Amino acid sequence: MNWTAITSAVTVVTAVGALIFTGLSLNATRDQVGIAQAQNAVAEQGQVTDRYSKAVEQIGQRGDDHLQVRLGGVYALERLARDSPRDQPTIIEVLSAFVRTSVETPVEAQGPGAACPQRPVAPDVQAALTVLGRRDATHDGNAHIDLANTCLDKVDLTGANLVGANLVRTHMSGAAMEFADLRDAVLTRANLAGAKLSGANLLNARLLRVDLSKAALGEARLENANLIEALLQGASLYAAHLNGALLSGADLSRADFSGADLTDVDHLRAVTVETHKDQATIGAWW
């Protein structure tokens, strides 16, 4: 018997067996890792669900004695949106609904002329609006902020991200909205009388019949905005950009257009403008 051959064969068989064993061990390890990851994912989702449920319960607590509880719920939802971006669209809808159900609806909510109670925005409502305004909008999905038909006079939305927001018939007279991003927002019949909108971006915004009387719109971007029948009486539009805006039937009496760019503004022949035209860049329709 050739012991050398036998020894070699045994060595080969042993090596093959070792390889098979190693492969089986690796597969088992991968299976265990996969199971552990799946279990962790389920556990994490359970934690997210628990946190969400608790936060919603907190903001649902009514009464002045539960103000701090509601504030905690608002900020808990903000943290949850950061930790679980896929849940942000739902959180946007929840916080929007919280605002709408926590403030009053304008009496005869039909835009200019509708009345709102003269009281400041509550701290928990302001907190919800602040959270909505500073969110990471890249995780919004198809969700949009909806604050239609609400009384939010003198609210602070400075620098807020309100892209595509529904602000139809919303009362925000005297609001602080400097540098707010309102691109594509719908503000039909909204009341923004005396609002501070300097540097705000209202590109493509729908401002049909909006009340912007005495509003500060210095350097605001209003390109392609729909301002048909808008009330801009006494508004300051110093160095504002109105290229391509629709202003048919708008009331711009006593508005300040110093340094404004009105190139290609549509239907200015139907607009009432009494002062401060001399320094404006006037489009062909003037």
Side-chain angles (χ1 to χ4, degrees):
M1 180 178 292
N2 189 336
W3 289 105
T4 302
I6 293 173
T7 303
S8 298
V10 170
T11 301
V12 170
V13 171
T14 302
V16 170
L19 288 172
I20 292 173
F21 177 78
T22 301
L24 292 173
S25 298
L26 289 173
N27 286 335
T29 301
R30 280 195 294 266
D31 291 341
Q32 291 174 348
V33 170
I35 292 171
Q37 290 176 337
Q39 290 174 337
N40 289 337
V42 171
E44 289 175 3
Q45 188 56 46
Q47 291 175 355
V48 167
T49 301
D50 290 343
R51 290 169 59 188
Y52 171 79
S53 299
K54 182 178 179 180
V56 170
E57 182 180 352
Q58 286 178 287
I59 65 174
Q61 298 292 316
R62 298 298 183 182
D64 294 341
D65 54 335
H66 290 109
L67 173 60
Q68 295 303 321
V69 175
R70 292 193 299 276
L71 286 170
V74 168
Y75 293 121
L77 286 172
E78 179 180 31
R79 179 61 182 271
L80 184 57
R82 292 176 181 171
D83 293 345
S84 181
R86 69 176 184 176
D87 292 307
Q88 179 162 305
T90 300
I91 291 170
I92 290 173
E93 294 175 359
V94 169
L95 288 177
S96 294
F98 170 72
V99 173
R100 292 197 307 273
T101 57
S102 299
V103 300
E104 297 182 67
T105 301
V107 177
E108 298 178 358
Q110 297 176 2
C116 271
Q118 296 298 311
R119 60 172 63 100
V121 174
D124 51 343
V125 172
Q126 179 62 68
L129 292 168
T130 300
V131 167
L132 286 169
R134 69 188 181 198
R135 74 197 184 286
D136 182 353
T138 60
H139 304 304
D140 284 357
N142 294 321
H144 293 287
I145 295 171
D146 184 357
L147 305 174
N149 295 307
T150 53
C151 289
L152 296 171
D153 291 339
K154 297 183 179 179
V155 68
D156 185 359
L157 290 168
T158 305
N161 186 331
L162 297 167
V163 175
N166 179 6
L167 299 168
V168 175
R169 297 190 179 94
T170 302
H171 265 241
M172 294 179 287
S173 62
M177 301 177 75
E178 293 95 336
F179 303 103
D181 193 344
L182 289 150
R183 286 173 295 159
D184 300 306
V186 184
L187 294 112
T188 301
R189 294 180 180 270
N191 189 327
L192 290 161
K196 302 173 184 66
L197 286 151
S198 299
N201 190 343
L202 289 140
L203 182 68
N204 297 320
R206 295 172 61 184
L207 296 152
L208 178 67
R209 299 182 183 179
V210 69
D211 186 351
L212 283 162
S213 56
K214 297 183 180 180
L217 289 153
E219 299 184 358
R221 296 195 58 183
L222 289 152
E223 295 100 323
N224 302 318
N226 184 343
L227 284 152
I228 292 175
E229 298 184 19
L231 180 60
L232 286 143
Q233 189 176 31
S236 172
L237 290 120
Y238 176 80
H241 304 275
L242 287 128
N243 313 55
L246 303 176
L247 282 161
S248 179
D251 183 355
L252 300 173
S253 55
R254 295 190 298 279
D256 183 356
F257 278 83
S258 302
D261 188 351
L262 296 166
T263 306
D264 297 323
V265 171
D266 184 61
H267 290 107
L268 273 175
R269 290 177 299 184
V271 176
T272 303
V273 180
E274 296 178 357
T275 60
H276 300 293
K277 307 189 293 189
D278 54 315
Q279 298 181 47
T281 302
I282 308 302
W285 285 102
W286 186 268

